[in-house]
Amino acid sequence: MSRPQDPPRSFFPFGNPFRNISPKGTKLSPQLLAVICAFEASLEERLKNLIPKSKDEVLSFSWMTLAMQALRESHNGIKTLMTDLELPVHDWDEKWIDVYLDISVKLLDICIAFSSELSRLNQGHLLLQCTLHHLSSSSSDQFIRACSLLDGWRQHISSKNPRIEKCGSILDNLVGSSDMPKVKKSDKGKVLMQAIYGVKALTVFVCSVFATAFSGSTKNLMDLDVADVYSWAPTFKGLQNLVNEEIKVRFSNGKFTVLYELEAVDSSVRELYPTIRGVVDVIETESHAKIVDKLGGAAENFSQGLDLLAKEVDGFFQVVMSGRDALLSSLRSGATVNDRILGGNRDAQVVN
Ligand SMILES: *[C@@H]1O[C@H](CO)[C@@H](O)[C@H](O)[C@H]1NC(C)=O
């Protein structure tokens, strides 16, 4: 993606269908305008929240957790929007349903890939834990085991996850194939599609960054071109630029990974490895103990970060899944989509 001849990818190779509802030329009612403005303002707030305070923060597990949280909240926001719009699913155009289902099934695939990568990394952490356990004893026998465990760690961590390898094509599909449908008759439908567009931009950005981080290659990095008519577009572009540039810089410096906590573990392992492969009496030094402690700390940070991120990915998966289930069951029952998606209002549930 960093090749200069690559033009930025656009959601709309054939023009932007929202041009006619851009803030300038809009004919939406004041109520609908207020709904979409509020939605886009909170989307922009989430984007701003993701602007890293320092470059080190990019692709730390805490930043990634925040990014997943932003996705979960934005997708939840779409559900709330459907309620605010009072747009019953039987009023939905078939194309909007297709868009929603198409996006959500791809996101589920991507979540499954991310979860599988996180549990793969977690298996790596088990190897580290075993290593540290063996290093806590001072017998040379234990050091030999620790050494072979570290070999195992290095092999494990540098192997590829086939699920992650597929993310690139899923993302390409997400950007390319499901163009947002033109909405002519329904103002509420326009608002819904415009909101979904914003959330989709955020989603593709975050997922492409994750896929890049997990695959260890910039081929999944996307530079999305978002039309300037959206209030959140400048913030989006600023964020995307900053994060993508930092990732490219790290890869061009030949880093083995762009994941911050993994890099910390890797550098401790590299420091430790020669000392445990060496002669045993060299090992009984203060500096050796320090290096082991450092690996312990890095492994701890790695593991904690992994856990939090895995929970957040799971939370996002649940939100996408429940939105999808709600839409499908509304379609079957003919009920309004908002009733289903938000579990119905409580009074109505009592009556049912
Ligand atoms: C672990 O994380 C803490 C808090 O972010 C940090 O201060 C510390 O340096 C990290 N430890 C290692 C060994 O990376």
Side-chain angles (χ1 to χ4, degrees), residues 28-144:
L28 294 175
S29 73
Q31 287 86 347
L32 284 181
L33 208 54
V35 168
I36 189 65
C37 283
F39 185 90
E40 293 192 325
S42 60
L43 178 69
E44 187 172 11
E45 212 40 55
R46 289 188 193 109
L47 290 166
K48 279 187 184 152
N49 223 355
L50 290 182
I51 296 172
K53 279 156 212 78
S54 80
K55 289 194 169 163
D56 280 350
E57 233 179 82
V58 177
L59 294 189
S60 65
F61 282 139
S62 61
W63 184 86
M64 293 172 83
T65 303
L66 209 62
M68 257 307 134
Q69 206 176 331
L71 290 195
R72 180 169 52 76
E73 286 169 3
S74 306
H75 285 258
N76 256 331
I78 292 284
K79 292 188 197 175
T80 313
L81 181 81
M82 288 176 190
T83 310
D84 292 349
L85 287 176
E86 296 171 339
L87 185 63
V89 77
H90 55 76
D91 284 356
W92 279 39
D93 194 309
E94 227 165 86
K95 281 186 206 138
W96 315 342
I97 295 171
D98 286 347
V99 165
Y100 191 93
L101 293 178
D102 182 52
I103 292 177
S104 61
V105 75
K106 289 184 174 117
L107 290 180
L108 292 178
D109 277 348
I110 290 174
C111 282
I112 290 169
F114 290 169
S115 290
S116 96
E117 178 61 9
L118 291 172
S119 61
R120 197 180 74 84
L121 292 174
N122 204 30
Q123 285 162 14
H125 175 251
L126 293 181
L127 290 169
L128 289 179
Q129 264 186 321
C130 282
T131 310
L132 288 162
H133 174 75
H134 287 296
L135 287 176
S136 63
S137 138
S138 55
S139 91
S140 63
D141 199 32
Q142 298 294 320
F143 282 123
I144 293 166

Side-chain angles (χ1 to χ4, degrees), residues 8-38:
R9 296 190 207 191
S10 165
F11 278 174
F12 305 117
F14 307 110
N16 180 354
F18 296 129
R19 195 169 290 135
N20 47 355
I21 56 161
S22 65
K24 275 179 212 153
T26 185
K27 289 187 185 107
L28 294 175
S29 73
Q31 287 86 347
L32 284 181
L33 208 54
V35 168
I36 189 65
C37 283

Side-chain angles (χ1 to χ4, degrees), residues 264 294 297-298 301:
K294 199 167 140 201
N301 287 356

Side-chain angles (χ1 to χ4, degrees), residues 264 268 293-299 301:
S268 289
D293 275 356
K294 199 167 140 201
L295 176 62
N301 287 356

Side-chain angles (χ1 to χ4, degrees), residues 260-261 264-265 268 293-302 304:
Y260 187 77
E261 287 85 352
V265 169
S268 289
D293 275 356
K294 199 167 140 201
L295 176 62
E300 181 66 23
N301 287 356
F302 179 65
Q304 277 176 4

